[in-house]
């Protein structure tokens, strides 16, 4: 319970109330004015408080010393001395004003103690024992023993020994967001300054340990502002290590700290494990501002390369441009002329959007074996944007862009990113209309191959499409629905612009001039209804119309003749190897083609079940999904349509070849296969087994033995020969609870082939007596082994079946897993094996059976202890090529406030070693040593 006790009243109340030690329960008092009147009117009774009482015994026996005080001071002494002339009394008819001392505080001082309080009236001090606390405005002080002097407004705090004689309840001081712990301290509430000994303060992540520190409050420049609180330290070490004995730090004799702003040090020396190093700084400043502040970015790495010289990577400047947007300008600088710049930004607005972008430009010095020096330039642009689902109900905008030129990632990066051969971008804007059956989409797409150096950019792409529409459905339904009311139709229109070029010429005028543009419109419809109770009949149609502004023309140049000279029996014979040359050119102008096809599909399902009794295998089921469809498509090669033209062949004196003027278009061209009237058939088979559960005898599990074993082909009525297509067979099966997946594919042909391997119109049954001729097969086994799958296989634990997809998984490297057995060490480890067999028939001799691929790879991390990690980036062996795949092996050691690690890529000869401070204000303390791509492999 808090009470307000003005100091001026202390002399009017019986002295034994103040001189007695307080009871063990928590006590709280509040001083309203520090009152110099006590000093002006000392009383005899107040002087009787004895400082000779042992303070350590107050907490143990407060009642004894309270009794000693009562025995010393007469209970009626105050009453006997009180008379009309006592100036501490206020007359009832007093109407004047009260003048307070100029040294009085402007707010109450609250103080509490868990053990006891002792008031020294003569010395004008209060002793607080046991979890004591003093609070004044925003200042709070807690300690085992606190002495508050209300005359000088000085508070002194220190710890007390515990039952083992060890220091406990050390002083903890807080002023707003500024806090620290010390061995002992003195603080003046009036002057707002103090002295602390053996103090530990923390600003953001920087821990400052000093033998002595003074903290003062500077006068503000503006009366409306508060003055800065400044801490002066002597014999200090500042570090980001939180250990009681810091593993590293920067020691200096003089330091100045402005909380939440900066730490300024004089001459300082780097210490590691309390051992001074040869590294000295004449002075230094370290920003410790809270929030985002403009400032210097220390280098990420200090590098040396024989090819580039000494260098710094990641040095730059940080700009917090707004509350939602920041920018980092960094550079890589080497002494021999290699340099690069990057602009990296992150932005985020809560419930609206978030993203980042990276713009890079790099110039790398390269020297070939002949000593010729070049400086190729490369460019990088990456952007990722995500719109929150709650930002807008009908509009979505987002995606990612990753465009590079001149092999930027292989020149600059020295990690797994240099192995990426395919770079892709996809950025979209979509708009939906409420209560409307259509939507609009605009996108940017990009595909880049770092091996061929070819880039394809599609921009802008615009698409408008409708949902399923029922144009024949009655608005007011009465009676049974008619068959034509179930007809659905969809419309889609797309416009696309596309650029194709090498990555070195992507941003040139020629690339823009060779851009291709096209528009495609599609209308399709169909319906579905039951026939003969068990069959589904699905008629459908599809109409396409494509517009181009540029089409292809092929021209034959008869003057470009090539002759070969041959020797025949001692005679020289001149032969014509090429009768001319065919050249391509693009012709401007509007051209369009149209396609139409229709189909009718009939399908059903047949179930077969075999019950096997009450054993472990309880039954088998076979599901057959037969499907028959008839497809019609007209002949688009007719001359009157103008879709196809003829040009002379280069290597024939009188031969002609047919081509489409739409070849190379971004939406392709019309079909060149002629009229189609084909009957397609397929037979999909699914084999399942019902097995009793090992854990629960009342529960049965369904296991797929063979999934989607499909047999299919077609017969074309419109062709005059080779009407039957090949018969294709394929299927998928999984073994060992999903560890291994088998994919089978085979093809059979009803026709035979000639000596050149081409199909001829002769049935195989007529020549070889076989209904179908074997035309090739392949089998592929893919195995992915994890600890979870091994447990599922060996111990029967549940594990999700691996469907063979490569969805992005959360990064579980360097995450500690609960050790239950030896396999727990490999919890974040994966081993994959890929082997495929090909079987190809030969015209003469035996068929060829060979292993097409056979590779073993492993990746992941092994946590040997709480601090040791072994990382396997990608290690494997290709048994076909008889070579090691690109491996990356490394380790990481957690050193509390440091991290040490090494990585090695033996096939390309690169490696790296580092020991560095963990991310924080002092993470520029980094000792790297590596060998880069430029020094370990052939130059680009």
């Amino acid at each position: 319970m808090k009470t307000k006790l003005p100091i001026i009243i202390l002399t009017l109340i019986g002295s034994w109330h103040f001189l007695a030690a307080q009871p063990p329960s928590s006590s709280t008092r509040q001083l309203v004015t520090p009152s110099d009147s006590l000093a002006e009117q000392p009383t005899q009774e107040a002087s009787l408080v004895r400082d000779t009482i042992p303070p350590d015994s107050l907490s143990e026996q407060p009642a004894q010393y309270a009794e000693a005080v009562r025995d010393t001071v007469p209970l009626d002494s105050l009453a006997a001395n009180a008379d009309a002339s006592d100036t501490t009394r206020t007359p009832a008819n007093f109407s004047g004003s009260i003048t307070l001392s100029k040294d009085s505080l402007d707010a109450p001082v609250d103080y509490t103690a868990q053990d006891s309080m002792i008031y020294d009236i003569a010395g004008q001090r209060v002793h607080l024992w046991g979890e004591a606390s003093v609070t004044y405005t925003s200042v709070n002080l807690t300690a085992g023993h606190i002495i508050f002097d209300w005359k000088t407004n000085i508070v002194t705090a220190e710890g007390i020994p515990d039952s083992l004689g060890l220091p406990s309840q050390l002083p903890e001081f807080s002023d707003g967001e500024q806090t620290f712990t010390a061995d002992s301290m003195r603080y003046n509430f009036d002057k707002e300054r103090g002295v602390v000994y053996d103090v530990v303060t923390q600003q953001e992540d920087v821990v400052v340990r000093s033998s002595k520190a003074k903290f003062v409050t500077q006068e503000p420049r503006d009366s409306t502002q508060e003055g800065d609180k400044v801490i002066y330290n002597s014999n200090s070490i500042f570090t980001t290590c939180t250990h009681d004995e810091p593993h590293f730090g920067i020691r200096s004799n003089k330091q100045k700290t402005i909380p939440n702003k900066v730490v300024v040090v004089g001459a300082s020396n780097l210490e590691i494990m309390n051992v001074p190093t040869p590294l000295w700084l004449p002075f230094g400043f370290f920003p410790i501002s809270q929030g985002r502040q403009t400032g210097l970015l220390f280098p990420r790495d200090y590098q040396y390369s024989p090819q580039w010289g000494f260098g710094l990577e990641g040095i730059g400047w940080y700009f917090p441009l707004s509350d939602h947007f920041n920018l980092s300008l960094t550079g890589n600088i080497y002494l021999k002329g290699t340099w690069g710049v990057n602009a990296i930004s992150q932005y985020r607005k809560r419930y609206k959007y978030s993203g980042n972008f990276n713009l890079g430009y790099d110039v790398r010095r390269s020297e070939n074996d002949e000593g010729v020096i070049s400086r190729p330039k490369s460019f990088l642009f990456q952007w990722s944007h995500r719109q929150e689902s709650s930002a807008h109900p009908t509009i979505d905008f987002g995606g990612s862009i990753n465009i590079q030129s001149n092999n930027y990632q292989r020149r600059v990066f020295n990690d797994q990113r240099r192995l990426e051969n395919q770079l892709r971008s996809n950025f979209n804007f979509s708009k939906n209309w409420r209560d409307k059956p259509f939507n609009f989409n605009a996108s940017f797409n990009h595909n880049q191959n770092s091996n061929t150096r070819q880039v394809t950019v599609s921009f802008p792409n615009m698409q408008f499409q409708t949902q399923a529409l029922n144009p024949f459905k009655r608005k007011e339904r009465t009676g049974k629905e008619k068959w034509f009311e179930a007809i659905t139709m969809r419309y889609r229109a797309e416009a696309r612009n596309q650029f194709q070029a090498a990555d070195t010429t992507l941003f040139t005028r020629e690339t823009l001039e060779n851009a291709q543009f096209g528009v495609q419109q599609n209308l399709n419809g169909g319906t579905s209804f039951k026939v003969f109770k068990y069959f589904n009949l699905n008629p459908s149609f599809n109409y396409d119309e494509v517009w181009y502004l540029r089409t292809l023309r092929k021209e034959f140049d008869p003057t470009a003749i090539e002759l070969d000279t041959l020797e025949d029996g001692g005679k020289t014979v001149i032969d014509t190897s090429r009768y001319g040359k065919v050249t391509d050119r693009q012709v401007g102008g509007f051209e369009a083609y149209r396609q139409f096809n229709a189909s009718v599909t009939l399908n059903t399902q047949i179930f077969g079940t075999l019950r096997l009794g009450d054993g472990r295998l309880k039954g088998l089921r076979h599901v057959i999904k037969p499907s028959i469809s008839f497809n019609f498509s007209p002949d688009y090669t007719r001359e009157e349509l103008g879709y196809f033209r003829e040009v002379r062949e280069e290597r024939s004196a009188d031969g002609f070849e047919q081509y489409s003027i739409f070849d190379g278009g971004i939406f392709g061209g019309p079909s060149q296969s002629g009229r189609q009237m084909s009957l397609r058939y397929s037979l999909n088979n699914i084999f399942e087994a019902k097995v009793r559960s090992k854990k629960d005898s009342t529960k049965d599990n369904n296991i797929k033995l063979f999934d989607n074993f499909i047999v299919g082909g077609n017969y074309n009525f419109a062709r005059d020969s080779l009407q039957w297509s090949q018969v294709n067979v394929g299927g998928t099966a999984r073994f060992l609870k999903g560890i291994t997946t088998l994919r089978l594919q085979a093809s059979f042909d009803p026709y035979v082939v000639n000596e050149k391997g081409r199909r001829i119109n002769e049935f195989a049954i007529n020549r070889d007596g076989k209904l179908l001729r074997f035309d090739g097969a392949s089998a592929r086994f893919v195995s992915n082994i994890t600890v979870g799958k091994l447990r599922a296989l060996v111990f029967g634990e549940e594990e999700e079946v691996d469907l063979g997809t490569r969805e992005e998984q959360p990064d579980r490297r360097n995450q500690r897993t609960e050790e239950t057995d030896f396999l727990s060490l490999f919890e974040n480890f994966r081993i994959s094996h890929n082997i495929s067999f090909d079987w190809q028939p030969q015209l003469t001799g035996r068929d060829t059976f060979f292993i097409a691929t056979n590779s073993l790879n492993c990746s992941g991390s092994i946590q040997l202890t709480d601090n040791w990690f072994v990382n396997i980036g990608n290690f494997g062996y290709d048994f076909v090529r008889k070579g090691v795949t690109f491996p990356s092996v490394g380790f990481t050691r957690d050193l509390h406030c440091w991290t040490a690690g090494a990585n090695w890529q033996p096939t390309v000869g690169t490696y790296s070693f580092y020991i560095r401070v963990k991310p924080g204000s002092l993470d520029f303390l980094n000792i790297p040593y590596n060998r880069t791509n430029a020094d370990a492999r052939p130059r680009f």
Side-chain angles (χ1 to χ4, degrees):
M1 175 178 179
K2 282 189 176 181
T3 59
K4 294 186 177 180
L5 298 177
I7 297 299
I8 197 170
I9 305 179
L10 294 179
T11 58
L12 304 180
I13 305 177
S15 60
W16 62 272
H17 288 288
F18 295 93
L19 302 180
Q22 302 299 311
S25 60
S26 177
S27 302
T28 302
R29 294 292 185 269
Q30 185 178 78
L31 301 182
V32 179
T33 62
S35 164
D36 288 337
S37 61
L38 287 177
E40 297 171 358
Q41 301 178 7
T43 62
Q44 179 180 0
E45 293 80 359
S47 64
L48 294 177
V49 178
R50 307 183 187 277
D51 293 333
T52 58
I53 300 175
D56 291 342
S57 61
L58 291 177
S59 59
E60 300 175 359
Q61 297 177 343
Q64 298 177 6
Y65 293 99
E67 186 66 28
V69 172
R70 287 195 293 269
D71 293 342
T72 305
V73 181
L75 295 179
D76 58 351
S77 59
L78 290 179
N81 295 331
D83 54 24
S85 63
D86 191 350
T87 58
T88 61
R89 294 180 178 271
T90 303
N93 60 352
F94 176 75
S95 61
S97 61
I98 298 176
T99 302
L100 299 178
S101 170
K102 63 180 180 179
D103 297 327
S104 62
L105 299 178
D106 56 359
V109 178
D110 295 335
Y111 53 94
T112 64
Q114 185 68 29
D115 195 336
S116 59
M117 294 183 185
I118 297 179
Y119 289 83
D120 181 358
I121 302 301
Q124 301 186 26
R125 293 182 298 177
V126 179
H127 292 261
L128 309 176
W129 292 92
E131 299 182 10
S133 173
V134 175
T135 302
Y136 170 66
T137 61
S138 62
V139 177
N140 178 259
L141 174 64
T142 61
H145 178 207
I146 296 177
I147 303 174
F148 176 61
D149 190 323
W150 61 72
K151 179 178 180 180
T152 61
N153 297 321
I154 294 176
V155 62
T156 303
E158 60 184 358
I160 59 176
D162 60 10
S163 59
L164 300 178
L166 300 177
S168 66
Q169 299 184 32
L170 295 178
E172 294 184 5
F173 178 87
S174 64
D175 186 359
E177 297 180 356
Q178 169 67 25
T179 61
F180 60 80
T181 303
D183 179 71
S184 60
M185 68 165 294
R186 289 167 56 88
Y187 182 77
N188 190 316
F189 286 113
D190 187 19
K191 304 296 184 181
E192 294 188 9
R193 62 179 59 187
V195 179
V196 292
Y197 301 91
D198 295 333
V199 61
V200 180
T201 63
Q202 183 166 353
Q203 303 292 331
E204 291 294 310
D205 61 335
V206 177
V207 179
V208 182
R209 297 176 179 270
S210 306
S211 59
K212 181 180 179 181
K214 297 181 180 180
F215 53 98
V216 300
T217 301
Q218 294 181 339
E219 291 294 332
R221 297 180 179 179
D222 188 351
S223 59
T224 61
Q225 299 178 352
E226 294 184 359
D228 289 331
K229 294 177 173 59
V230 182
I231 302 174
Y232 296 93
N233 301 285
S234 62
N235 189 21
S236 302
I237 183 172
F238 70 98
T239 177
T240 55
C241 181
T242 57
H243 197 270
D244 292 338
E245 296 290 336
H247 300 127
F248 80 99
I250 299 177
R251 184 174 294 278
S252 62
N253 289 327
K254 294 182 179 181
Q255 289 185 358
K256 178 180 178 181
T257 303
I258 302 179
N260 302 326
K261 290 187 177 181
V262 69
V263 175
V264 182
V265 300
S268 54
N269 174 238
L270 175 64
E271 289 186 2
I272 298 179
M273 304 299 292
N274 292 325
V275 178
T277 66
L279 300 178
W280 283 84
L281 293 174
F283 63 90
F285 67 94
F286 303 90
I288 55 174
S289 302
Q290 291 186 343
R292 302 178 305 142
Q293 299 289 334
T294 299
L296 176 69
L297 295 175
F298 284 92
R300 182 181 68 252
D301 284 318
Y302 316 99
Q303 299 285 351
Y304 172 75
S305 166
Q307 186 71 206
W308 303 329
F310 290 97
L312 301 176
E313 290 194 356
I315 186 171
W317 203 263
Y318 176 79
F319 301 91
L321 301 181
S322 69
D323 293 338
H324 310 288
F325 185 80
N326 62 47
L327 176 65
S328 299
L329 296 179
T330 61
N332 306 325
I333 305 173
Y334 290 84
L335 293 181
K336 292 185 178 180
T338 293
W339 60 276
V341 293
N342 286 87
I344 304 173
S345 176
Q346 297 85 29
Y347 57 90
R348 177 179 178 82
K349 190 170 184 180
R350 194 175 184 183
Y351 306 124
K352 293 293 184 180
Y353 54 78
S354 61
N356 60 81
F357 75 82
N358 182 7
L359 187 65
Y361 180 79
D362 190 85
V363 179
R364 297 266 155 170
R365 180 184 183 273
S366 179
E367 182 178 352
N368 59 21
D369 296 335
E370 299 177 356
V372 179
I373 298 176
S374 62
R375 288 182 171 84
K377 305 174 180 61
S378 55
F379 173 80
L380 166 72
F381 176 68
Q382 294 177 329
W383 183 25
S384 176
H385 179 85
R386 178 179 178 271
Q387 177 180 304
E388 299 291 341
S389 58
S390 59
H392 200 282
T394 61
I395 293 179
D396 185 40
F397 179 71
S400 62
I401 297 177
N402 184 9
I403 297 179
Q404 302 177 17
S405 70
N406 203 15
N407 267 336
Y408 182 95
Q409 64 181 9
R410 292 191 176 182
R411 296 181 186 277
V412 178
F413 301 142
N414 194 34
D415 52 25
Q416 293 289 331
R417 287 176 290 183
R418 64 182 301 273
L419 297 179
E420 297 178 3
N421 296 326
Q422 290 294 132
L423 304 176
R424 294 182 175 86
S425 303
N426 189 7
F427 218 89
N428 295 280
F429 168 84
S430 62
K431 167 67 177 176
N432 298 317
W433 283 266
R434 291 181 174 178
D435 303 325
K436 302 292 183 182
F438 48 78
N439 59 75
F440 173 78
N441 180 275
S443 65
F444 169 92
N445 302 102
H446 150 260
N447 194 327
Q448 182 175 353
N449 190 298
S450 59
N451 289 332
T452 63
R453 311 283 291 272
Q454 292 297 311
V455 183
T456 301
V457 177
S458 297
F459 176 77
N461 301 328
M462 294 176 289
Q463 186 180 93
F464 174 84
Q465 63 181 5
T466 67
Q467 300 174 5
L469 305 176
N470 299 95
F472 306 108
K473 194 170 187 178
R474 291 171 291 180
K475 294 183 179 180
E476 296 182 2
R477 180 176 175 180
T478 58
K480 187 177 180 180
E481 183 182 49
K482 304 295 183 180
W483 67 269
F484 55 83
E485 292 186 79
I487 296 177
T488 61
M489 300 181 68
R490 291 180 176 87
Y491 172 78
R492 179 177 59 87
E494 181 179 1
R496 186 186 305 171
N497 191 53
Q498 189 176 88
F499 308 91
Q500 289 184 331
D503 60 359
T504 54
T505 62
L506 180 61
F507 302 99
T508 61
R509 183 175 181 178
E510 181 182 1
T511 301
L512 298 178
E513 292 177 350
N514 293 332
Q516 295 180 336
F517 177 78
V519 176
Q520 182 184 48
Q521 299 181 82
N522 174 267
L523 178 66
N524 62 78
T527 187
S528 176
F529 46 85
K530 291 278 188 180
V531 293
F532 305 114
K533 191 177 181 179
Y534 299 108
F535 294 89
N536 297 316
L537 185 64
N538 306 303
S540 64
F541 72 91
N542 186 79
Y543 173 80
D544 282 307
E545 183 169 335
V546 177
W547 300 343
Y548 287 123
L549 299 180
R550 186 181 295 175
T551 52
L552 175 67
R553 297 294 185 273
K554 291 180 178 288
E555 297 178 348
F556 181 79
D557 182 8
T559 62
I561 299 177
E562 291 185 3
L563 303 177
D564 288 342
T565 303
L566 305 175
E567 296 291 335
D568 186 9
K571 297 181 180 180
T572 301
V573 179
I574 299 177
D575 189 19
T576 303
S577 61
R578 192 171 69 175
Y579 293 90
K581 183 180 180 180
V582 177
T583 58
D584 298 345
R585 66 183 180 92
Q586 295 290 326
V587 178
F590 177 81
E591 294 285 353
Y593 74 86
R594 300 160 185 85
Q595 291 188 120
F596 173 81
N597 62 75
S599 65
V600 178
T601 303
L602 184 68
N603 57 63
T604 187
Q605 295 187 56
I606 302 173
F607 297 89
T609 303
L610 176 63
R611 301 185 182 276
L612 299 177
D614 297 331
R616 177 76 193 285
L617 180 62
K618 302 190 67 174
L620 299 174
R621 186 170 77 162
H622 181 199
V623 181
I624 306 174
K625 298 180 179 180
S627 176
I628 300 176
S629 64
F630 179 79
N631 301 271
F632 170 78
S633 177
D635 183 9
Y636 301 107
T637 62
R638 302 194 310 272
E639 184 177 355
E640 61 270 19
L641 295 177
Y643 298 165
F644 292 87
R645 298 190 180 188
E646 290 185 343
V647 65
R648 281 191 57 180
E649 293 183 351
E650 292 181 347
R651 303 188 182 278
S652 175
D654 54 0
F656 287 85
E657 64 176 353
Q658 191 180 59
Y659 74 94
S660 172
I661 65 174
F662 304 103
D663 284 348
I666 53 179
F667 293 109
S671 173
Q672 199 173 355
S673 58
R675 188 181 183 187
Q676 297 290 314
M677 296 178 61
S678 60
L679 182 67
R680 299 180 181 274
Y681 60 90
S682 67
L683 199 66
N684 189 359
N685 299 267
I686 300 175
F687 299 92
E688 297 175 325
K690 179 175 287 188
V691 181
R692 178 179 296 168
S693 174
K694 291 182 179 180
K695 296 182 178 181
D696 188 355
S697 59
T698 62
K699 182 180 179 181
D700 297 331
N701 296 327
N702 292 329
I703 301 175
K704 287 189 176 181
L705 303 177
F706 227 102
D707 190 14
N708 296 327
F709 186 81
I710 302 175
V711 180
N714 69 80
Y715 179 85
N716 191 352
F717 294 94
R719 302 188 66 171
D720 55 359
S721 62
L722 302 175
Q723 295 173 313
W724 290 96
S725 71
Q726 291 180 328
V727 178
N728 298 311
V729 180
T732 302
R734 294 180 176 86
F735 309 99
L736 303 177
K737 293 191 175 182
I739 291 180
T740 300
T741 301
L742 169 63
R743 293 182 175 88
L744 295 175
Q745 187 176 1
S747 61
F748 300 87
D749 199 330
Y751 299 100
V752 297
V753 295
N754 58 17
E755 62 278 2
K756 294 183 179 181
R758 294 182 178 179
R759 301 175 74 202
I760 60 176
N761 195 30
E762 182 180 354
F763 287 107
I765 193 172
N766 296 332
R767 176 189 290 187
D768 304 327
K770 299 179 180 178
L771 180 63
L772 297 173
R773 176 182 60 85
F774 176 69
D775 197 39
S778 65
R780 181 181 180 185
F781 291 87
V782 179
S783 300
N784 290 296
I785 304 174
T786 62
V787 171
K789 291 183 180 296
L790 288 177
R791 288 198 179 102
L793 179 64
V794 178
F795 304 110
E797 298 179 5
E798 295 297 330
E799 169 73 8
E800 291 186 6
V801 176
D802 186 359
L803 301 179
T805 59
R806 298 185 63 184
E807 298 180 358
E808 182 177 356
Q809 299 294 329
D811 187 3
R812 297 180 180 177
R813 294 176 301 175
N814 297 358
Q815 291 186 6
R816 185 65 171 164
T817 55
E818 183 181 357
E819 289 193 20
T820 57
D821 51 29
F822 176 75
L823 292 177
S824 299
L825 289 175
F826 304 91
E827 195 72 42
N828 299 324
F829 205 75
R830 174 184 293 270
I831 300 176
S832 62
H833 180 240
N834 186 357
I835 184 171
S836 61
F837 303 92
D838 280 2
W839 190 359
Q840 296 179 357
Q842 302 295 321
L843 296 177
T844 58
R846 294 184 177 180
D847 296 346
T848 301
F849 182 81
F850 61 95
I851 299 176
T853 59
N854 185 12
S855 61
L856 180 67
N857 290 277
C858 56
S859 62
S861 65
I862 303 174
Q863 185 169 2
L864 301 179
T865 67
D866 289 339
N867 299 319
W868 276 101
F869 297 88
V870 177
N871 301 312
I872 308 297
N874 183 19
F875 184 80
Y877 186 81
D878 193 322
F879 296 93
V880 176
R881 294 191 303 108
K882 297 182 179 180
V884 178
T885 58
F886 186 90
S888 178
V889 183
F891 74 88
T892 303
R893 175 70 166 92
D894 190 334
L895 301 172
H896 185 256
C897 51
W898 291 75
T899 301
N903 292 284
W904 179 42
Q905 299 82 31
T907 56
V908 294
T910 59
Y911 56 82
S912 65
F913 171 79
Y914 63 87
I915 179 170
R916 60 190 177 211
V917 174
K918 288 184 177 180
S921 298
L922 301 181
D923 58 6
F924 62 87
L925 297 175
N926 179 17
I927 305 175
Y929 182 78
N930 58 28
R931 189 180 186 186
T932 62
N933 298 326
D935 303 318
R937 57 177 172 76
R939 319 288 184 261
F940 284 101

